[in-house]
Amino acid sequence: MPSTPRTAPDTVPRTAGGRITILLVEDHDMVAEAIRLALDRTDDLEVVGRSLCVKDALADAARLRPAVVVLDRRLPDGDGIAAIAALKAAAPGARVLVLTGEGTPAVAADVAEAGGSGLILKVGNLRELQDGVRLVAAGEVAFSRGLLGGALDRLAGRTAGAGTTLTPRERETLSLLGDGLGTAEISRRLGIALNTARNHIQRVLEKLGARSQLEAVAVARREGLLR
């Protein structure tokens, strides 16, 4: 099963029937067909498009506005990880879940640092992929077993200092992020509006020099802000 620390949920596009919409980026026909069948046979997941390369994926993401992009790492025109930021810009609100046969902490850290929401191994079972899609669509992260801890360690080693001192409220927010709470739960715990909670989280990321909540937690651990 994938690791399941939580991040702040965003509103994600879904079909009229309430399914999680998925853009599959995979150039191998047999692999793509197996993945499509595994995802489409569920009641809550729907593959709305398939792309064969990074260039097509960017155009399809902008056109289809999927909730989740399931992205192969090795594509004919480049490394999928390098395309994560562009894909998220093409389809604002979309989450990116990377598929790869190379499941190392270094690769997992690269995915997190690029803004990806998870990394699932191709050698894993298809149920793990289904669960991973659901997790990232809900604003959480999903990494195959054994990858998340190493990714956090590597991210902590790469990042600069913690930067500007956090306010007391921002420290509370960071502590709750470290406990695995999402935006709605942080809002309830602190007794603040949902948008206010989102703003606190964004400022925490900015002050820690982090591009994702996963990276922010890693920085905070390194700096002794979290235990």
Side-chain angles (χ1 to χ4, degrees):
M1 294 293 293
S3 302
T4 60
R6 300 189 54 158
T7 64
D10 292 328
T11 300
V12 293
R14 294 175 186 263
T15 66
R19 290 187 171 190
I20 298 169
T21 55
I22 302 160
L23 172 64
L24 174 60
V25 186
E26 169 62 64
D27 61 315
H28 292 97
D29 289 339
M30 291 183 64
V31 175
E33 184 62 20
I35 292 172
R36 180 189 288 272
L37 287 173
L39 297 175
D40 279 348
R41 71 187 179 195
T42 64
D43 293 333
D44 59 334
L45 307 176
E46 180 180 2
V47 177
V48 294
R50 177 198 168 195
S51 309
L52 301 178
C53 61
V54 172
K55 180 181 178 182
D56 289 349
L58 293 173
D60 291 340
R63 176 173 58 89
L64 297 171
R65 294 294 302 276
V68 176
V69 178
V70 174
L71 175 67
D72 187 17
R73 185 189 176 193
R74 301 294 187 186
L75 294 165
D77 56 347
D79 187 335
I81 296 175
I84 290 175
L87 284 167
K88 294 179 70 174
R95 302 280 181 171
V96 179
L97 179 63
V98 176
L99 283 174
T100 184
E102 302 174 21
T104 67
V107 174
D110 287 341
V111 170
E113 196 169 40
S117 296
L119 178 70
I120 300 295
L121 300 180
K122 285 187 173 181
V123 296
N125 60 57
L126 292 173
R127 177 62 181 273
E128 183 181 20
L129 176 59
Q130 294 167 353
D131 290 343
V133 170
R134 294 184 182 104
L135 285 167
V136 300
E140 303 178 12
V141 296
F143 288 82
S144 287
R145 185 179 299 277
L147 295 180
L148 184 60
L152 284 169
D153 290 342
R154 287 176 177 268
L155 284 169
R158 290 182 192 181
T159 51
T164 307
T165 302
L166 298 172
T167 67
R169 180 62 89 184
E170 289 162 359
R171 285 181 178 272
E172 288 181 284
T173 301
L174 175 60
S175 178
L176 294 174
L177 286 174
D179 288 340
L181 301 188
T183 305
E185 292 164 299
I186 290 174
S187 171
R188 287 192 294 269
R189 186 73 64 87
L190 298 180
I192 58 178
L194 192 60
N195 284 339
T196 303
R198 289 196 180 103
N199 290 337
H200 285 325
I201 292 169
Q202 183 58 39
R203 284 196 293 270
V204 167
L205 265 62
E206 291 172 355
K207 290 184 178 183
L208 295 182
R211 286 183 284 182
S212 69
Q213 292 172 32
L214 182 64
E215 187 177 1
V217 171
V219 174
R221 287 180 178 175
R222 182 179 67 80
E223 295 291 330
L225 300 172
L226 289 175
R227 299 296 180 186

